[in-house]
Amino acid sequence: MDLETVADELYGLRPEEFTAARDARAAAARKAGDQPLAERIKALRRPSLAAWASNLLVRGEPEEVPSLIRLGEGLRQAHRGMDGPRLRELSRQEHVLVDALSRQAGRLAADAGHAISEDARREVEQTLHAVLADERAARTWAEGRLTRPLDAPTGFDAALRDVGPREEPLSLIPLSEPTSPY
C-alpha cells in the first residue's frame, strides 16, 4: 500500500463514501505497522461536491484533459503575445468547451448517483477557467484529486505571470514642463 494508490482510490469515491474509506485505509496502514503512511492517509481531505465532479470529469473523460490543457496554453500564449485575433478565437473555444465540460461533469455526477446543483456546476466552471489560466492549476486538476474548486487568477498578473523581465528598462517620461511648440 502506498499513498498514491490510496489517494487515487479515495478521490474516485463519492464524497459521502470518502471519510469511512479513508479511515479504513489509515487503520489498515497502522495495523501493517506503517504509522507515517497512516498519518498521511488520515490527512487526505474529503472533496467538496464541485471538486468531486471535477475529479469525475478527469477520470471519466480523460481524452478531454489534454485538449483543455492545450487550449489553456494557447490562451496564455495569445495573452502574452497580445495576439488579439487569436485570443478572440481561443476565447470563443474556451466558452464552448467550459460550458460543455461543466455540463458533462454534472451528467457524470448524476450517473454516479449524486446530482450537483447549479452552484456546484458554476464552481466546476470556475475550476475549468483556472485550469485554462494557470499551468499549475492545470497540473493539479489533471491529477483528479481536487478537494475544493480551483480559483482562476484575475488581472494582468494572471496573463503575464510567465513573462520574464524586460531586457531593456522602460524609459521614463520626463517630469519637466512641456515646452510650447510656438
Side-chain angles (χ1 to χ4, degrees), residues 67-127:
S67 62
L68 191 66
I69 290 173
R70 278 193 306 274
L71 178 59
E73 290 167 352
L75 280 162
R76 290 187 303 274
Q77 187 175 39
H79 271 283
R80 285 190 299 270
M82 295 186 213
D83 185 345
R86 180 82 174 134
L87 192 54
R88 280 188 295 280
E89 173 192 331
L90 294 174
S91 291
R92 280 191 292 274
Q93 291 177 26
E94 171 186 8
H95 294 297
V96 169
L97 188 58
V98 166
D99 182 64
L101 290 178
S102 68
R103 290 183 189 284
Q104 180 61 15
R107 284 189 292 277
L108 290 168
D111 290 348
H114 207 311
I116 61 172
S117 67
E118 189 60 27
D119 286 343
R121 192 179 76 78
R122 278 193 290 277
E123 288 181 326
V124 171
E125 285 181 353
Q126 171 186 311
T127 294

Side-chain angles (χ1 to χ4, degrees), residues 153-162:
T154 58
F156 290 108
D157 288 344
L160 300 175
R161 180 174 292 138
D162 297 327

Side-chain angles (χ1 to χ4, degrees), residues 131-162:
V131 167
L132 292 169
D134 186 298
E135 185 178 345
R136 284 173 287 184
R139 284 193 306 267
T140 300
W141 170 75
E143 291 174 357
R145 298 183 196 163
L146 297 179
T147 58
R148 60 179 178 75
L150 299 174
D151 294 321
T154 58
F156 290 108
D157 288 344
L160 300 175
R161 180 174 292 138
D162 297 327

Side-chain angles (χ1 to χ4, degrees), residues 30-48:
R30 198 170 12 269
K31 185 176 180 179
D34 196 342
Q35 185 62 30
L37 177 60
E39 290 172 8
R40 292 175 67 201
I41 292 171
K42 193 72 172 162
L44 295 173
R45 295 289 142 234
R46 175 184 154 186
S48 70

